[in-house]
Amino acid sequence: MTAEPIPFVHLHSHFWGSYSDSALSIPEGLDRASELGQTAMAVTDHGELAFAPRFYRACLERGMRPLLGCECYFVRDARESIERDDAHRNHLVLIAKDARGWRNLVSLTSAAWLDNCFRGARGLVDWALLERHHEGLVCLSACYYGSFPLAIIRRGLAAGLRELRRYLDLFGGDFHPELSRLGFEEQEISNAAIVALAPRYGLRPVATNDVHYPHPEDWIAHDIISKTRFGRVTDFSVVTRSIWLKSAGEMLGLGFDDAHLRNAAAVAGKCDLRLPGPPVSPPVLHGSPAEDLRLLAARCRSRSGRRRGARERRLGEELRLVGRRGLAGAILAAASVADRFRRRGGVRAVGPGDRFGGTAIAAALGLSDPERPPRGAPDADAFSSIRLRCPDAAAAARHVLDALGGERACRAAEMVPIGGGEALRFAAEVGGVPEPERRRGLAGADRADSVEANLRRSAPLRRLCDARPAVLRWARRIEGIPRRSRPAAGAIVMTDGPLRELVPLKRHGAKVMAQYDVAGARLAGLATLELVDGVRPSR
C-alpha cells in the first residue's frame, strides 16, 4: 500500500511585501505550493499587510485556503524602545483565524505604525497592543529570533518559560511555537527545549521554513535583493541558503517529526477567513447614505433634465444600485473634484474603456460624453473604483483628503520597483564582475528602463551579458520586485472611518498612507478615487 501523504502547509512565508527581503511573487509561490500538494499557504510579510488582498484573491482562484498574516516587529514596551532609541526587536507571526481576527490584525498593524513608529522605518508591536488586539488571531513564535525561543537561547529555560506563560495567557491553544532548521546552531537549542516543553504545556509546535523564494537556486536572487536594499551594494549577507518553498518530504528530511508538519496543516484548518465583499464602509458626506443619494439624484437630474425613455430608465437603475450599496458619497466626492476644477479645463472620466466613464451617472454629472450610451448592465464596481482626469491630480487629491479628513481617507501606496538598469548593475556587482568590465558594459544603461530595452539599445551591454549570462539571468529575475512603497500622488482610499480599523496604515515621513496600493484597496472592497493628470475629451 502507498502511504498517505503527510499534510503540510507553510505558515511563515515572505512575499514581495517583505520589501527588499523576498524573491517570491504571489503567483509563483502559490503555484509551487499547489504543485507540491499543499492546499493552503500563509502570507506573513514583515510588518505590513500590503499584498494580503492580492494573496487572498490568488488563493481563491487556485482553490487554496488563504491565510492572511504578518511577521511583526515585537518589543516588550514600544514607548520605552522609542525613547531609548533601542533598535533591538524580536519577531512574532500573527495570522487571522476569522473576520474578527482580520479586523484586529488591521488595527494592530495600523497602531504599530501610527503610534509606535521607530525612526520612521517600522511599526512596533508590544504586549499592550497584543492585549488589545489578540482575539481571533493565531500566534506563532517566529524564527529563533522570536522573544520566546530567543529567551531560551540567551537567558535560559526559566526566562523562556516566563515568555511562554505570557503568550499562553493571551492566546491559549492558538499559540504555536515554531520549529525550523535553517542552519543556525542556536536554533537547535530552542528547538530541543520546545519539543521537551510541548507535552507539559499542551503545546502543538509547527514546522516552518521562513520561506523567501520558490526554489533552492533562488538564494542568489534573494542575496542580490538583500545586499542592495539601500540602493547600493553592501556586505550584508543572509547566512542561510535554505529558505526556499519546501515540500513535505523536504521538511521531513530536515529531521522534523511528522506530527509537527500535521500541526501546521491543522492550524490552517482552523483558519476560515472570508474578506467582506465590496463596498467596505464607503464614505457618507451628508449625514446618511439616503441623504447622499437624494443629493446625487438631484444633481444628476438638474444637469441632464428629466429625459424620458432608455436614458432616464438607465439613470434610475444606476441610482437605485448606488443607493443599495451606499456609494453615493463616493460619487459625490469625485464630483467635488469637477466642481473645483471646472474653470481650469474641467474633469473627465479617464476614457471610453473606463467603467465609471461608461455610466449614465458619469454622463449626467458631466464627467463623460452624455451622448454615449451606457455599456452593459449597471455594475457597482464602476461606482466604488472611480478614475478621473483633471488639470492637477495632486491638488485634487489634497482637496478630497481635506474634505473627508484623516479619519476617513488617505493616499494609497505606490510600489517602487527595481528598475531594469538597476537590476543589471546589481546583478553584475553582486555577481563579482570586475569593475572595469562592469563600467564598459553598463555605461549606457538606464536604471529605470527595462532590462530588455537596455539590451536593445546597448551593444556593450549585450557583449557583457553574452560573456556573463548569469548577469542577465538574475537581472531578469529581480527586475520589477518592489523595493519599498510611498504615497501615490493621486490615488485615494475612501471610507466612512475609522480609517485605521478598516485599512492597514503606515507612516511615510509626516504623511499617513495605506499599506495597500490602489489595486490592493479595490481587491479589499474599499472605495477608491484615482486622479490622473491631464484632461482630454471622453469621446
Side-chain angles (χ1 to χ4, degrees), residues 139-154:
C139 179
L140 310 183
S141 63
C143 61
Y144 79 95
Y145 221 71
S147 71
F148 167 48
L150 197 63
I152 295 171
I153 293 166
R154 298 277 173 85

Side-chain angles (χ1 to χ4, degrees), residues 26-49:
I26 290 172
E28 65 187 350
L30 293 179
D31 287 346
R32 179 59 179 155
S34 183
E35 287 171 9
L36 296 173
Q38 296 165 18
T39 58
M41 193 172 184
V43 54
T44 56
D45 286 330
H46 289 303
E48 296 196 31
L49 303 172

Side-chain angles (χ1 to χ4, degrees), residues 78-247:
R79 287 290 96 203
E80 184 177 302
S81 293
I82 292 166
E83 288 168 5
R84 292 168 50 194
D85 196 35
D86 182 357
H88 173 79
R89 71 275 186 191
N90 297 115
H91 293 176
L92 190 69
V93 173
L94 301 172
I95 299 173
K97 282 199 306 182
D98 50 28
R100 186 176 192 176
W102 175 248
R103 288 193 298 271
N104 271 322
L105 191 58
V106 169
S107 296
L108 181 142
T109 55
S110 292
W113 273 98
L114 301 188
D115 304 332
N116 299 337
C117 191
F118 184 80
R119 297 181 186 170
R122 56 182 172 267
L124 300 179
V125 173
D126 60 11
W127 286 112
L129 262 185
L130 283 182
E131 285 167 4
R132 291 206 302 273
H133 297 295
H134 66 278
E135 292 182 352
L137 294 175
V138 170
C139 179
L140 310 183
S141 63
C143 61
Y144 79 95
Y145 221 71
S147 71
F148 167 48
L150 197 63
I152 295 171
I153 293 166
R154 298 277 173 85
R155 306 198 307 277
L157 187 60
L161 285 173
R162 287 194 293 272
E163 288 291 304
L164 174 61
R165 291 187 183 106
R166 196 156 185 185
Y167 284 117
L168 291 176
D169 285 346
L170 270 184
F171 294 98
D174 285 327
F175 177 73
H176 297 271
E178 286 190 42
L179 299 171
S180 53
R181 287 202 165 95
L182 306 179
F184 302 107
E185 289 183 15
E186 290 178 309
Q187 210 161 41
E188 294 308 320
I189 299 171
S190 59
N191 282 350
I194 288 167
V195 171
L197 290 171
R200 178 178 169 189
Y201 287 92
L203 304 176
R204 299 187 67 189
V206 295
T208 66
N209 202 59
D210 201 1
V211 176
H212 285 68
Y213 40 86
H215 302 288
E217 64 273 18
D218 287 317
W219 76 265
I220 299 173
H222 183 243
D223 187 53
I224 297 170
I225 294 165
S226 300
K227 277 185 163 65
T228 60
R229 64 181 57 198
F230 301 115
R232 65 185 186 281
V233 176
T234 69
D235 60 2
F236 179 84
S237 179
V238 178
V239 176
T240 181
R241 296 180 180 178
S242 182
I243 46 180
W244 73 86
L245 203 163
K246 292 184 170 71
S247 67

Side-chain angles (χ1 to χ4, degrees), residues 323-340:
R324 289 195 299 272
R325 296 298 185 92
L327 288 166
I331 300 169
L332 287 171
S336 75
V337 175
D339 295 339
R340 184 172 180 83

